[in-house]
Amino acid sequence: MYTQAMDTMREEGGQPALRTAEEAALQQRFDNRIDAGDFIEAKDWMPDNYRKTLLRQISQHAHSEIVGMLPEGNWITRAPTLKRKAILLAKVQDEGGHGLYLYAAAETLGQSRDQMLDSLHSGKAKYSSIFNYPTLTWADVGTIGWLVDGAAIMNQVPICRCSYAPYARAMIRICREESFHQRQGYDSLLAMMQNGTEAQKAMVQDAVNRWWWPCLMMFGPPDDQSPNSAQGMRWGIKRVSNDTLRQKFVDATVQQAQVLGVSLPDPDLRWNEATQHWDFGTIDWSEFWRVVGGEGPCNRERLAMRVAAWEEGEWVREAALAHSRKQARKEKAA
Ligand code: BYC
């Protein structure tokens, strides 16, 4: 091919060099499609960094879903009624399903599930900071539904329009289920706040006090300290910035807290007539980076649980593989 000899660009700013006119044309076509708001499918040409960024974000998201099963799973055997137990079981199972959709979406980018899990188990891959906090009481379970799933929905609805179609499709299904998760959490807290004892009401307030600030951190660092945002938004992977989503979450949640009858633990929270938003206090970003760096209250415990589940589940994976090989042999023989 004549294009092999036509180097068009040198390596620049960490971006891999575009070596051929053919690649430059592919890049131009890709950029035009992104600008036009088109979706990119798995078989379409895409720049290496777009692929890498997606793999990073989708695999982290998948890991968050399955690590996210642990704090709530901790309460399945201690749910206060049969109804709440059935709801919690279904919710935790849904999170496992979300992990599967997301691992499958990430696999379309060329990395195997085993490789992704290996990165999680070795501590190389990240997952959401929020799941490194403990669930101390039953009210934590409702608060996770209300606030953590509420923040997740705020963050994830715009990803339904992500430029990478397999991720966008997975997110549509996930968001539908997440809205039930949020409502069941709120409903469980409302039951305690409206009909509960003083001790139960205090338990809800205590859980809200502990989860509020970590939930605000879920959206990631401030925009001016977010290294991946500009490129992620340019590529249509992220549609709305970290700070904008955080503000939308605060604005939506304040009224829900009022209806519930709890206060949010922020003395600086006040309505700003000029901006038409709720102003809120300063987030402790040193805590966020400590948790992301592995030093949160439950990081070690969460990772150890995932590694143990992987090791103890080996016989299940082997049995499933043996079964599918047997089925394939039977189908071939028929
Ligand atoms: N926790 O440049 P930035 C769920 C990292 S699942 C840990 O702003 P980006 C649920 C970030 O990865 C919740 N790390 O990054 C499940 C980056 O490090 P690397 C998960 C965080 O990617 C079960 C560095 O900080 N949701 O809701 O542009 C039950 C700089 O950040 C966090 C998703 O994953 C964090 N909170 O934006 C209930 C949604 N924030 O990777 C609920 C999809 C930032 O360069 N993900 N970092 O080493 C996203 O939307 C984006 O990846 C983020 C970060 C907004 C999270």
Side-chain angles (χ1 to χ4, degrees):
M1 284 281 286
Y2 71 94
T3 51
Q4 298 300 315
M6 291 177 65
D7 280 5
T8 52
M9 272 190 213
R10 294 261 163 258
E11 185 125 353
E12 205 175 39
Q15 299 281 333
L18 289 173
R19 286 189 205 88
T20 65
E22 192 178 19
E23 277 174 335
L26 286 166
Q27 173 81 54
Q28 188 58 55
R29 188 157 171 267
F30 173 85
D31 290 344
N32 292 345
R33 290 184 66 187
I34 294 285
D35 290 344
D38 277 1
F39 286 108
I40 307 297
E41 292 289 347
K43 287 187 179 147
D44 294 339
W45 185 90
M46 61 187 82
D48 268 356
N49 280 350
Y50 177 79
R51 186 184 297 277
K52 277 190 202 141
T53 299
L54 279 167
L55 259 174
R56 177 185 64 80
Q57 180 167 326
I58 305 173
S59 63
Q60 283 181 10
H61 193 168
H63 299 327
S64 302
E65 297 285 354
I66 61 162
V67 177
M69 297 167 77
L70 300 173
E72 291 174 288
N74 192 25
W75 278 89
I76 290 173
T77 54
R78 292 176 285 166
T81 64
L82 183 59
K83 176 181 141 187
R84 296 288 172 198
K85 188 184 180 100
I87 293 172
L88 184 57
L89 259 176
K91 179 183 191 289
V92 171
Q93 195 172 324
D94 280 354
E95 310 297 0
H98 297 173
L100 288 182
Y101 305 156
L102 290 164
Y103 283 124
E107 278 174 317
T108 65
L109 292 158
Q111 199 170 85
S112 73
R113 197 171 304 185
D114 282 359
Q115 281 172 306
M116 288 184 260
L117 287 171
D118 193 48
S119 296
L120 172 68
H121 298 157
S122 65
K124 225 166 68 193
K126 290 190 169 73
Y127 58 86
S128 181
S129 49
I130 195 73
F131 301 118
N132 292 308
Y133 291 86
T135 39
L136 303 179
T137 68
W138 170 251
D140 288 31
V141 173
T143 307
I144 289 180
W146 173 38
L147 294 180
V148 175
D149 288 80
I153 294 167
M154 199 56 90
N155 170 265
Q156 290 169 193
V157 165
I159 309 177
C160 297
R161 291 182 291 115
C162 165
S163 60
Y164 188 57
Y167 189 24
R169 283 192 288 266
M171 289 316 304
I172 291 169
R173 294 181 68 170
I174 291 173
C175 284
R176 285 201 186 122
E177 291 177 354
E178 292 289 9
S179 55
F180 280 102
H181 294 176
Q182 198 259 0
R183 281 187 237 167
Q184 67 78 34
Y186 195 74
D187 176 73
S188 133
L189 297 182
L190 206 55
M192 284 189 273
M193 291 305 291
Q194 289 183 340
N195 307 318
T197 61
E198 285 312 308
Q200 284 169 325
K201 289 178 191 171
M203 184 170 77
V204 174
Q205 183 62 60
D206 171 63
V208 171
N209 291 349
R210 283 181 289 106
W211 287 91
W212 175 248
W213 290 104
C215 281
L216 296 192
M217 296 174 195
M218 279 177 74
F219 297 93
D223 292 351
D224 59 4
Q225 291 159 44
S226 160
N228 303 303
S229 274
Q231 187 62 73
M233 294 194 63
R234 166 75 190 84
W235 276 327
I237 294 171
K238 279 173 99 152
R239 296 283 182 189
V240 185
S241 83
N242 297 358
D243 284 334
T244 306
L245 288 170
R246 191 169 9 252
Q247 183 67 60
K248 277 174 79 129
F249 174 71
V250 173
D251 290 347
T253 311
V254 170
Q255 208 186 3
Q256 293 167 8
Q258 285 163 354
V259 173
L260 196 55
V262 292
S263 60
L264 296 172
D266 179 356
D268 296 322
L269 192 68
R270 59 181 60 88
W271 177 248
N272 183 328
E273 200 54 45
T275 60
Q276 294 288 300
H277 291 294
W278 286 89
D279 287 341
F280 54 94
T282 310
I283 295 172
D284 179 359
W285 289 110
S286 64
E287 173 180 326
F288 170 77
W289 290 116
R290 230 178 13 255
V291 175
V292 170
E295 298 300 322
C298 300
N299 294 58
R300 284 180 188 80
E301 181 185 333
R302 299 289 186 245
L303 211 53
M305 283 284 275
R306 283 308 325 161
V307 171
W310 177 254
E311 285 168 357
E312 285 161 22
E314 192 174 355
W315 68 272
V316 180
R317 293 191 298 279
E318 273 176 12
L321 276 173
H323 178 70
S324 81
R325 276 195 292 267
K326 198 164 134 192
Q327 290 293 107
R329 268 201 307 275
K330 269 191 192 161
E331 274 166 31
K332 216 171 154 190

